[in-house]
Amino acid sequence: MAKKKDDDCWKKGGKDCGPGEQPSIFDQLKKRPFKFSLWYFVIVMISLMLFNTYYVSRQQEKELVEYSVFKEKIQSGEIKRVGLGKENYFGFTTEDEGTSALVYKTVPVNDPLFVPFLDERGVSYYAMVTREPVLLNLLFQWVIPFGLLFFVWRLMFRRMGSMGSNVLSFGKNRAQIVAEGETGVTFKDVAGADEAKEELEEIVDFLTNPQKYTEIGGKIPKGVLLVGAPGTGKTLLARAVAGVAHVPFFRMSGADFVEMFVGVGAARVRDLFKQAREKAPCIIFIDELDAIGKSRINVMGGNDEREQTLNQLLVEMDGFDSTAGLILLAATNRPEILDPALLRPGRFDRQVLVDKPDLKGREAILKIHSANVKLDESVNLLEVAKSTPGFVGADLANIVNEAALLAVRDKRKKVKQGDFMEAIEKVVAGLAKKSRLINPREREIVAYHETGHALMAAKTEGADPVQKISIVPRGMGALGYTMQTPTEDRFLMTRKELLGKIDVLLGGRAAEELVFGDISTGAANDLTRATDIARRMITDYGMSERYRNVALTKRATPFLGERAEPVMAREYSESTQSYVDDEVARIIEERYGVVSETLRDNREILEKITKRLLEVEVLEAAEFLAMVG
Ligand code: ADP
Ligand code: MG
Ligand code: ZN
């Protein structure tokens, strides 16, 4: 990808580059025709101070002497004339007034005999009117400095006002309008997130050709939420949208709404939508939505400011009609902490998963980032991609950069494969610290585990067919997944089907034990679900031997809440409880035996699929089914 300002700022800060890029106040001032500089102010202040000291020192151009010395000088006749001021006595060495004779100055003590003393000496004296230049002093010490300060203050505020972040207009938003094509990023610069790309390309199409959709009566979505681990390219995708959309694009980060003062964030949201409505059709992009969208339920003590901001966002989202050509785009890497209200239909009705890239995706990303890097013939990007499972786009961009730096350090003109391998090691060391990395052995365990699930799904009658197997880690503890899609809507399940479900769930752990002779913690979630099914078969569905057709629990829904789970009331004795526990254990044990046997019988297929999965990381249904036969 070509070097762009935006890219650099990502590298520096790692954060969203949107509002942070706004020119500082001084940059802003520099652009003004009248070049205001703080230096002017400083110069004026310094000259004022100099003048003041000079002025004062002129008054003090007299030799200050002790009172006794002063008297002595009168005695000796050196002082011929004395001026009696209120605070100082001045002694002149000449009789006539005009000449600037040497002057002594002293601070008088309470000496009532001083005047008689002067009379006695025959020294002329007079009461001196202190010519304190009150007005001038006032002017120089107070009026001018404060006037200047006021002037500068006014100036600053006027400038800030024109930037839209005036202190006097807190609520003004700081959204940056990105002009069309300005980001220079297109969808070609994004690789490996094909589904997300398709989705967003469609959004751009919605806005550029709305009649195409509205003619048929299609409804344009209001909000699209990009969800994915950090560094998977969510911000990049949004920039690509801005780069290709022929409509204004407002970009802002969630953190910009969070302010110290209650109500400021909400005002910003209001202002942002107001501006956007005026410019419709347009796109609003809120990066790092979780900063404002955090669930209101689990926050201890609450946060009025954020809550108000979130409420305002919800209100605005409800308030606009997508036919007006306004689409809200947002990104988050923590969808689980978002307030459920945000995800309700009519708000972010579309969620786009920006997954970590698989092998092919990683290769494509490496290609994009090394497009401008001179590569040796030895370089094999596929090999690099193979050695970087679990890496996201940002990590890969980092690797290309590191490799180039290594080549430069070696004073070579081209990057060779060795540089890449060294760069991977470097980046891996960094990532390992953040525990974002899976080691090869774990990867192998995950592959067998997922294949176990998939194989059981294929071998179990009535189980939902496998759609996809993946060992690309998804974050939040999920190291891999097997996706099954139901062929039809089901409202009932037979006993056999329930047991089949348990079989598929146990497939993962059974495969691990079969292959490695040991088991891992990776099956925790599977076991919870399998156990739950088994327990409900006994307590709810009356499928056990002793309590055939007896429901052991009573369900009650206490209130209609967001997450209200039906509360289970136990209506049986301790001995029944222990029977339920034993029976659950028995069912699981029995199924585990069946599953282990099935896998053992299909060991070859298990190995074959696992090997392939480790290679490509994601197996689609067609290839999987062909391998199972
Ligand atoms: P996120 O917002 O999801 O945390 P970013 O969009 O900020 O991630 O990605 C950071 C950088 O990583 C991008 O600027 C880009 O250089 C690189 N990158 C990430 N994902 C991809 C991708 N799918 N294709 C190409 N480059 C990517
Ligand atoms: Mg981002
Ligand atoms: Zn599993």
Side-chain angles (χ1 to χ4, degrees):
M1 193 200 304
K3 264 252 175 286
K4 282 179 205 88
K5 193 166 161 274
D6 267 0
D7 280 341
D8 290 337
C9 93
W10 171 77
K11 266 162 202 146
K12 267 184 256 139
K15 274 208 75 185
D16 166 56
C17 296
E21 269 177 317
Q22 278 199 349
S24 76
I25 199 172
F26 294 108
D27 292 344
Q28 198 77 12
L29 291 171
K30 262 185 236 149
K31 284 184 205 134
R32 293 268 150 177
F34 160 61
K35 282 201 183 165
F36 172 79
S37 159
L38 210 61
W39 285 113
Y40 294 157
F41 179 64
V42 171
I43 286 167
V44 171
M45 278 313 251
I46 287 177
S47 38
L48 256 179
M49 269 158 60
L50 281 179
F51 183 81
N52 219 345
T53 33
Y54 167 73
Y55 173 76
V56 171
S57 71
R58 247 181 52 114
Q59 275 196 327
Q60 287 166 352
E61 200 188 324
K62 293 140 191 167
E63 199 180 331
L64 187 64
V65 292
E66 286 168 27
Y67 185 67
S68 59
V69 177
F70 193 77
K71 266 180 103 171
E72 256 165 42
K73 284 191 191 295
I74 294 169
Q75 183 89 36
S76 70
E78 197 184 342
I79 291 178
K80 303 217 165 57
R81 199 163 61 90
V82 173
L84 303 176
K86 205 169 165 199
E87 302 196 334
N88 294 112
Y89 290 171
F90 297 91
F92 302 90
T93 49
T94 47
E95 289 276 0
D96 51 333
E97 277 175 53
T99 51
S100 60
L102 179 59
V103 175
Y104 293 103
K105 182 175 137 190
T106 192
V107 183
V109 297
N110 188 6
D111 181 3
L113 294 178
F114 187 62
V115 174
F117 166 73
L118 289 178
D119 285 338
E120 201 180 303
R121 295 286 114 212
V123 172
S124 64
Y125 57 91
Y126 65 100
M128 214 159 129
V129 183
T130 345
R131 281 178 301 149
E132 277 285 323
V134 185
L135 221 68
L136 266 182
N137 267 353
L138 200 72
L139 198 65
F140 282 118
Q141 291 178 355
W142 297 97
V143 178
I144 293 183
F146 274 89
L148 254 154
L149 267 177
F150 180 72
F151 173 71
V152 168
W153 185 75
R154 278 275 311 267
L155 209 69
M156 293 271 205
F157 270 58
R158 268 228 307 283
R159 299 284 186 266
M160 285 201 293
S162 67
M163 282 166 58
S165 61
N166 195 331
V167 190
L168 300 175
S169 58
F170 275 122
K172 286 270 163 58
N173 76 78
R174 286 188 265 156
Q176 206 187 9
I177 305 181
V178 183
E180 172 196 333
E182 199 182 81
T183 60
V185 180
T186 67
F187 286 113
K188 283 201 198 74
D189 296 317
V190 192
D194 295 332
E195 283 152 45
K197 251 161 59 177
E198 265 169 42
E199 196 93 21
L200 291 177
E201 274 167 348
E202 199 185 5
I203 297 292
V204 172
D205 200 39
F206 275 147
L207 285 176
T208 39
N209 310 305
Q211 68 288 354
K212 199 164 97 190
Y213 298 88
T214 46
E215 256 168 31
I216 314 179
K219 233 182 166 185
I220 296 169
K222 267 188 182 181
V224 180
L225 182 62
L226 298 172
V227 176
T232 45
K234 299 180 296 298
T235 306
L236 186 70
L237 274 165
R239 296 223 309 265
V241 172
V244 300
H246 301 279
V247 297
F249 187 90
F250 292 83
R251 186 167 72 185
M252 213 161 165
S253 175
D256 294 335
F257 293 108
V258 182
E259 284 289 335
M260 205 160 57
F261 303 105
V262 175
V264 174
R268 284 210 177 120
V269 172
R270 207 177 306 124
D271 197 60
L272 174 65
F273 277 84
K274 190 169 147 250
Q275 275 193 44
R277 263 194 298 270
E278 282 161 11
K279 293 232 161 63
C282 70
I283 299 170
I284 297 177
F285 173 52
I286 302 179
D287 209 352
E288 324 275 345
L289 179 69
D290 35 288
I292 39 170
K294 241 180 242 167
S295 174
R296 289 166 294 186
I297 297 167
N298 299 324
V299 185
M300 259 215 307
N303 177 336
D304 274 348
E305 158 63 357
R306 208 187 39 230
E307 211 162 287
Q308 275 201 18
T309 310
L310 175 57
N311 282 337
Q312 188 63 38
L313 182 65
L314 294 175
V315 167
E316 295 289 351
M317 287 193 79
D318 289 341
F320 78 77
D321 183 359
S322 47
T323 50
L326 197 63
I327 287 185
L328 187 59
L329 208 63
T332 180
N333 47 37
R334 307 174 67 193
E336 73 283 357
I337 67 161
L338 287 185
D339 199 283
L342 271 173
L343 307 177
R344 240 176 258 150
R347 281 153 187 177
F348 284 105
D349 25 27
R350 278 213 190 172
Q351 287 182 43
V352 179
L353 188 68
V354 187
D355 240 336
K356 286 191 183 174
D358 61 359
L359 182 69
K360 259 190 269 157
R362 290 201 301 273
E363 195 191 359
I365 293 172
L366 285 167
K367 264 204 191 107
I368 287 175
H369 285 279
S370 54
N372 291 337
V373 178
K374 292 199 180 70
L375 301 178
D376 205 19
E377 308 82 63
S378 68
V379 172
N380 183 345
L381 291 179
L382 181 61
E383 279 304 314
V384 179
K386 274 184 185 160
S387 341
T388 49
F391 280 40
V392 294
D395 301 333
L396 296 169
N398 196 5
I399 283 177
V400 174
N401 197 39
E402 282 289 336
L405 291 182
L406 286 170
V408 172
R409 197 173 305 161
D410 259 14
K411 298 197 171 56
R412 269 180 285 110
K413 289 265 178 275
K414 284 182 176 173
V415 180
K416 57 178 191 184
Q417 185 76 351
D419 296 328
F420 275 104
M421 291 305 158
E422 216 180 313
I424 292 172
E425 267 168 41
K426 264 185 137 173
V427 175
V428 163
L431 293 181
K433 268 193 219 117
K434 293 184 216 151
S435 70
R436 261 172 56 189
L437 221 63
I438 30 166
N439 65 37
R441 167 143 178 102
E442 276 174 355
R443 209 166 152 259
E444 209 180 339
I445 295 176
V446 173
Y448 276 108
H449 178 108
E450 295 305 332
T451 309
H453 284 309
L455 203 53
M456 282 317 296
K459 296 286 173 194
T460 305
E461 216 180 302
D464 295 330
V466 172
Q467 197 201 356
K468 196 177 184 180
I469 322 173
S470 163
I471 54 166
V472 180
R474 271 224 161 140
M476 287 149 238
L479 297 172
Y481 60 91
T482 303
M483 208 147 77
Q484 294 171 267
T485 33
T487 32
E488 56 196 334
D489 274 349
R490 296 300 304 270
F491 302 104
L492 293 174
M493 290 205 107
T494 64
R495 182 167 181 273
K496 215 171 147 195
E497 281 164 345
L498 286 173
L499 293 178
K501 262 192 178 307
I502 295 177
D503 290 355
V504 175
L505 285 167
L506 292 176
R509 157 130 323 168
E512 284 179 44
E513 184 168 22
L514 178 68
V515 176
F516 299 100
D518 197 3
I519 49 184
S520 78
T521 54
N525 184 33
D526 300 335
L527 298 184
T528 311
R529 284 165 60 195
T531 310
D532 194 46
I533 295 173
R535 187 177 302 277
R536 287 178 67 172
M537 283 175 69
I538 304 159
T539 59
D540 296 6
Y541 311 138
M543 291 177 181
S544 64
E545 260 164 53
R546 193 193 294 178
Y547 296 105
R548 260 166 78 105
N549 309 330
V550 174
L552 295 175
T553 50
K554 187 175 167 186
R555 274 154 198 278
T557 310
F559 63 95
L560 288 169
E562 193 67 48
R563 292 166 181 174
E565 278 275 309
V567 171
M568 246 94 75
R570 208 184 68 180
E571 294 204 325
Y572 45 84
S573 64
E574 290 294 329
S575 74
T576 308
Q577 173 70 55
S578 84
Y579 169 78
V580 171
D581 292 341
D582 292 347
E583 188 65 8
V584 167
R586 195 191 60 75
I587 293 176
I588 297 289
E589 187 57 35
E590 187 187 292
R591 296 326 298 173
Y592 192 74
V594 173
V595 171
S596 296
E597 186 152 343
T598 312
L599 290 179
R600 202 172 302 126
D601 292 345
N602 293 285
R603 178 76 189 252
E604 261 167 57
I605 305 178
L606 180 73
E607 295 288 348
K608 206 170 74 179
I609 297 174
T610 306
K611 209 169 142 236
R612 181 76 186 138
L613 186 58
L614 280 166
E615 239 171 64
V616 294
E617 296 174 14
V618 177
L619 259 186
E620 300 290 340
E623 190 175 359
F624 170 75
L625 286 178
M627 288 175 96
V628 176

